[in-house]
Amino acid sequence: MKTVAISLLSLTLIAGTTLPTKRAEASPIRLGNVVPGTLVTKEVQSIRELRFENLIAQETDFSCGAASLATILKYAYGWSDVTEVDVLEGMFAVSDPELAQRMGFSLLDLRNYVESIGMRARGYEIEEDALDAVSIPVIVLLDLAGYQHFVVMKKVVGDRVYIGDPSLGNTIMPRSDFMEAWNNIIFAVIGEDFDTHTVLLNPSQPLTAHRLTDVFSPVPKQQLLDFGFRHAEVF
């Protein structure tokens, strides 16, 4: 993959978006008389739960970066108990809380938090033709109708970009729309215990025959080294 490392210290982009909608939780449904004398209970997911599957939703209008980081820590590094609040508290400790609540967090704030928990952050500026070679989930900053918004980019296949949006949920963006909103920078979280089989690399597929081409495979060790992982963390 053709990538050029850039200094995150020079990045002062900020992010914000609209408030997420109120959650609607699922509940079990009970089916009677399916078989005489029996009662069947079936757990079902609400539309919101399906949309936010394997994704931590943001609870404030300035916390898209914190929710995106929490998503990667939970689903790519096995931090099963991490929450958006945990990450927010950590990010406030390494940033200006008043500025963050008013303007949103910056990529520098994200980097400082990642390093405060003993991990590493890498920023890369890449061209469009290298998108398909991004083999780990990363955070990207999108300009959506004037809002600077952090999301998780899970994978890119052909003309589809699989996005975990902490405000809107899991979605698939047309590549052309993504390119119009993206600033050509990816933000990678690097550390021990990365799950090469993470569910973030195996998102729900579109209900068309084209999905048969989006075959999931774990991340090869050599590609992890390309993104800044150390031999001790990979082998």
Side-chain angles (χ1 to χ4, degrees):
M1 181 185 71
K2 297 179 180 178
T3 60
V4 180
I6 61 173
S7 170
L8 294 179
L9 289 172
S10 64
L11 299 176
T12 57
L13 298 170
I14 54 178
T17 188
T18 56
L19 285 169
T21 57
K22 185 177 180 180
R23 291 191 176 185
E25 301 295 341
S27 60
I29 60 173
R30 308 179 76 181
L31 306 175
N33 297 321
V34 175
V35 177
T38 66
L39 181 66
V40 178
T41 300
K42 174 66 175 177
E43 291 287 338
V44 296
Q45 289 181 296
S46 68
I47 295 297
R48 179 178 173 81
E49 285 177 319
L50 286 171
R51 195 175 33 178
F52 283 88
E53 186 175 24
N54 302 323
L55 175 65
I56 293 180
Q58 68 182 90
E59 300 296 340
T60 74
D61 58 351
F62 60 86
S63 60
C64 52
S68 295
L69 277 176
T71 293
I72 288 180
L73 292 175
K74 181 172 184 176
Y75 295 108
Y77 283 95
W79 292 33
S80 58
D81 296 328
V82 72
T83 66
E84 179 197 43
V85 173
D86 295 330
V87 178
L88 270 178
E89 290 178 350
M91 292 184 68
F92 281 142
V94 297
S95 64
D96 182 334
E98 182 179 347
L99 181 63
Q101 292 183 66
R102 187 175 74 252
M103 304 290 292
F105 290 105
S106 69
L107 278 171
L108 178 58
D109 294 330
L110 269 64
R111 191 201 70 168
N112 289 340
Y113 169 75
V114 169
E115 294 185 348
S116 75
I117 59 174
M119 304 179 80
R120 302 187 307 285
R122 294 288 184 270
Y124 300 96
E125 182 173 9
I126 67 174
E127 300 300 325
E128 179 183 355
D129 58 3
L131 273 175
D132 300 80
V134 178
S135 54
I136 63 173
V138 295
I139 294 175
V140 296
L141 185 66
L142 302 181
D143 185 331
L144 302 175
Y147 287 103
Q148 303 297 304
H149 185 48
F150 287 119
V151 302
V152 177
M153 187 182 82
K154 301 177 181 180
K155 62 188 289 189
V156 180
V157 180
D159 62 352
R160 294 183 296 279
V161 182
Y162 293 86
I163 295 294
D165 185 324
S167 175
L168 301 177
N170 294 300
T171 186
I172 302 173
M173 290 185 69
R175 192 182 187 117
S176 58
D177 291 349
F178 178 83
M179 291 306 304
E180 289 183 5
W182 179 48
N183 63 359
N184 288 87
I185 294 169
I186 61 173
F187 179 91
V189 178
I190 309 297
E192 296 180 355
D193 301 321
F194 176 77
D195 181 6
T196 58
H197 293 77
T198 171
V199 294
L200 297 179
L201 296 177
N202 190 27
S204 298
Q205 304 295 318
L207 298 177
T208 70
H210 291 296
R211 71 180 183 177
L212 299 177
T213 65
D214 296 359
V215 179
F216 168 74
S217 60
V219 184
K221 294 179 178 179
Q222 184 57 49
Q223 290 190 18
L224 291 181
L225 296 178
D226 292 340
F227 281 95
F229 285 82
R230 297 168 179 159
H231 279 83
E233 296 166 338
V234 176
F235 296 96

